[in-house]
Amino acid sequence: MKITTAGLVALCVCAAPRVAAAQTMQWTDKGYVSVNGGAQVGSHNLDESGSFALYDETATFSSTNKVKGGGLFDIGGAYRVWGRNVLGGLSVTHVSSKSNGSLKGSIPDPVVTDQFRAVTKSFSGLKHSETAVHLDAIWMMPVANKIDVGFSAGPTIFSVKQDTIPSLTITEPGPTITTTVSASSKTTVGFNIGVDAQYMLRKKYGAGIVARYAIGSVSLPGASKKLTVGGFQIGVGGRYRF
């Protein structure tokens, strides 16, 4: 019994400094500004279909392309709004890429009625861009003397621009098909979760790495289902405290 009591006393004596240190490690700055460069990874399929009048009949086509991620630019900031550790944050990210795909169609014959010809075509260079505004609640947790980690979550507003194929141009004889490209713009709301690890090189200046998962979906003209936007984002850059 005496040995057990002595052990508990010794454990409490050893643990006391660590508990006290943890209690004194509070986030003391008012806010920060961050600038990052990185990438958004992953890809999403865009499937389209359409029809148009040709030779007093109806031509049909369908296409598919894989919308990829791309280089990421991220800028944002946060300000302490409650207690020592809760911040409100706003970040803006921009991603752009180009995609390739394939198309198949059924084209009427210019002479013989109900005589449809199957056609296929590959295409490339369809542009895609996403500008996203992330509105986050952030829990800032100091983990060491110069290292802080912020955990964030909140809604994301996506502004999406996507090249689509609304129709085809047919040249005879052949037929030879030419894709008609049109840019569509849509806005949607999704959500995001993320983590931002910061290492302070000086009192106000530091470096950090941000990892975020943002997700949403948009309806595009001619698309057979909604296009998923966003993905896993990772970036590194600078931090400024105030």
Side-chain angles (χ1 to χ4, degrees), residues 4-242:
T4 303
T5 303
L8 291 173
V9 171
L11 180 62
C12 292
V13 170
C14 293
R18 297 185 182 182
V19 173
Q23 290 177 342
T24 57
M25 288 183 64
Q26 296 180 340
W27 203 74
T28 56
D29 292 306
K30 292 183 178 180
Y32 65 86
V33 175
S34 65
V35 179
N36 301 287
Q40 177 173 290
V41 299
S43 61
H44 310 288
N45 288 332
L46 173 60
D47 298 318
E48 299 179 78
S49 61
S51 62
F52 55 96
L54 184 67
Y55 310 135
D56 294 325
E57 295 187 86
T58 301
T60 60
F61 67 93
S62 61
S63 66
T64 182
N65 74 87
K66 190 175 290 293
V67 179
K68 302 177 181 178
L72 170 77
F73 176 74
D74 174 283
I75 185 170
Y79 190 82
R80 194 174 69 212
V81 295
W82 187 73
R84 288 289 187 180
N85 301 86
V86 180
L87 289 73
L90 185 149
S91 298
V92 179
T93 59
H94 181 75
V95 179
S96 61
S97 63
K98 293 183 179 181
S99 61
N100 305 328
S102 61
L103 178 148
K104 60 182 180 180
S106 180
I107 307 301
D109 190 273
V111 178
V112 183
T113 303
D114 291 331
Q115 186 70 42
F116 289 86
R117 298 163 293 172
V119 294
T120 59
K121 182 179 177 64
S122 298
F123 54 86
S124 61
L126 292 188
K127 297 178 182 179
H128 173 85
S129 70
E130 300 173 14
T131 300
V133 178
H134 312 285
L135 305 172
D136 292 319
I138 303 170
W139 176 265
M140 205 69 180
M141 184 178 70
V143 295
N145 187 32
K146 296 182 178 181
I147 302 176
D148 303 318
V149 178
F151 300 93
S152 62
T156 296
I157 303 171
F158 291 95
S159 178
V160 181
K161 292 183 178 180
Q162 173 67 50
D163 282 351
T164 60
I165 302 176
S167 185
L168 306 177
T169 300
I170 307 300
T171 304
E172 300 288 357
T176 301
I177 61 174
T178 304
T179 54
T180 302
V181 177
S182 176
S184 298
S185 298
K186 291 288 183 176
T187 300
T188 190
V189 177
F191 72 93
N192 78 90
I193 57 173
V195 60
D196 184 358
Q198 304 181 6
Y199 178 78
M200 301 312 296
L201 302 171
R202 295 189 177 182
K203 182 176 177 58
K204 291 184 177 295
Y205 299 94
I209 178 169
V210 60
R212 179 190 297 114
Y213 181 74
I215 193 72
S217 62
V218 293
S219 297
L220 297 172
S224 57
K225 62 181 180 178
K226 288 185 176 182
L227 172 66
T228 301
V229 294
F232 179 71
Q233 303 173 346
I234 187 165
V236 295
R239 304 292 184 272
Y240 173 75
R241 296 277 182 86
F242 57 88

